[in-house]
Amino acid sequence: MTPQTVFLFCGKRKSGKDYVVNRLQQLLPDTSCIVRLSGPLKEQYAKEHKLNYERLLDSSQYKEEHRKNMITWGESIRERDPGYFCSLAIQKADKPVWLVSDCRRPTDIEYFKTHYKCVSIRVYASEEVRKQRGWEFTKGVDDAPSECALDPYACDIHVTNNGDEEILRKDLQRLTQIAQNMTI
């Protein structure tokens, strides 16, 4: 299905991208679906390396143990075909609003903006809040392109996810209105 609009979410590890996307999807259950770019990457990586795919999807230590090698592996595939994981991820998207939960590189955003009407959204949480959620700086991960390549990118909208429910509710309401206006 060709979407009427695509929301492209980016942000640092432990900023709460998945949490924000899940909350937004709950507000738009009939018109939106979540597209995870990391899903096809993790699935293929698990197959090739005989790992537990389901455990690579959660926020466990298991995923963190494999993150650095998975990043390197994914980069080698992206060098040959920058849109490879994007094209795999959208195969099951079946609603007019796609919520792409994990854009990490300019090529991810370029892929979608080339093909669809998009709104880019940066999810922000302070370093202190991210640490409370279990983040700690990991060399080779937090300074890698998968975490930093979109730092200079100017997103259309910023969502603050520091634990203040009222601020987050207002940001989600704004996104809901945008989605409803773009699907009319």
Side-chain angles (χ1 to χ4, degrees), residues 6 25 32 38 51 53 59 65-66 74 78-79 89-90 92-93 103 105 108 114 117 129 140 142 150 160 165 178 180:
V6 178
Q25 204 279 323
S32 71
S38 62
L51 298 173
Y53 168 61
S59 58
E65 290 168 7
H66 296 284
R78 282 187 184 89
E79 285 176 17
I90 64 173
K92 295 178 184 172
C103 291
R105 291 156 193 82
D108 296 341
T114 298
K117 185 172 17 172
V129 168
D142 292 298
L150 289 176
T160 301
E165 180 60 29
I178 291 169
Q180 290 169 341

Side-chain angles (χ1 to χ4, degrees), residues 89-178:
I90 64 173
Q91 289 179 358
K92 295 178 184 172
D94 60 355
K95 301 279 175 90
V97 177
W98 294 356
L99 309 175
V100 181
S101 66
D102 53 353
C103 291
R104 296 199 170 269
R105 291 156 193 82
T107 54
D108 296 341
I109 291 179
E110 288 167 22
Y111 174 89
F112 287 100
K113 286 199 167 193
T114 298
H115 297 91
Y116 311 106
K117 185 172 17 172
C118 299
V119 177
S120 58
I121 302 151
R122 182 177 311 279
V123 177
Y124 171 80
S126 70
E127 193 169 301
E128 177 183 328
V129 168
R130 292 170 57 218
K131 284 180 180 178
Q132 291 170 5
R133 294 175 181 159
W135 176 81
E136 59 182 64
F137 180 85
T138 304
K139 187 163 180 50
V141 173
D142 292 298
D143 53 357
S146 63
E147 284 299 314
C148 301
L150 289 176
D151 286 357
Y153 186 80
C155 289
D156 301 316
I157 296 173
H158 289 87
V159 171
T160 301
N161 186 28
N162 274 331
D164 185 319
E165 180 60 29
E166 185 60 23
I167 290 173
L168 181 58
R169 188 187 63 73
K170 286 179 182 177
D171 286 342
L172 289 171
Q173 184 178 27
R174 179 177 175 205
L175 295 175
T176 302
Q177 290 172 339
I178 291 169

Side-chain angles (χ1 to χ4, degrees), residues 36-47 50-58 60 62-63 70 92:
R36 299 189 195 285
L37 300 181
S38 62
L41 183 149
K42 290 174 183 173
E43 184 175 13
Q44 194 61 36
Y45 185 80
K47 284 178 189 173
K50 297 178 179 38
L51 298 173
N52 183 321
Y53 168 61
E54 294 300 322
R55 293 198 58 207
L56 290 177
L57 290 175
D58 63 27
S60 67
Y62 183 83
K63 177 175 78 175
M70 196 165 36
K92 295 178 184 172

